[in-house]
Amino acid sequence: MSEPDNSILSPTVANVLDEYLAALTSDKDVDDEAAKRLDAVLRSGKVPKPEDIDAALYPPPKGEGS
């Protein structure tokens, strides 16, 4: 997976998201893939909708599409 384009984010916001991702991935109770999906949503440059956050954290099981 390629690095997100941080150019749309201020350096401060990018640093906060970097630290947040590091905290999430170091937490054994948080799935690393879910943390990466959430990070991508947060770095998109738009205010995420609750359903976008839910989809990042809880994707449908394999074999189920939406």
Side-chain angles (χ1 to χ4, degrees):
M1 179 159 72
S2 65
E3 285 293 313
D5 181 11
N6 290 339
S7 63
I8 57 175
L9 302 175
S10 74
T12 301
V13 171
N15 286 337
V16 169
L17 291 176
D18 290 344
E19 291 297 320
Y20 183 58
L21 179 60
L24 286 176
T25 55
S26 69
D27 186 334
K28 299 303 177 204
D29 292 330
V30 178
D31 178 61
D32 286 349
E33 291 304 313
K36 290 176 186 176
R37 289 189 303 270
L38 179 59
D39 184 60
V41 169
L42 295 175
R43 290 180 191 267
S44 71
K46 307 181 278 187
V47 175
K49 297 177 184 172
E51 56 268 15
D52 296 335
I53 294 171
D54 286 345
L57 293 174
Y58 312 106
K62 292 188 190 290
E64 290 184 29
S66 48

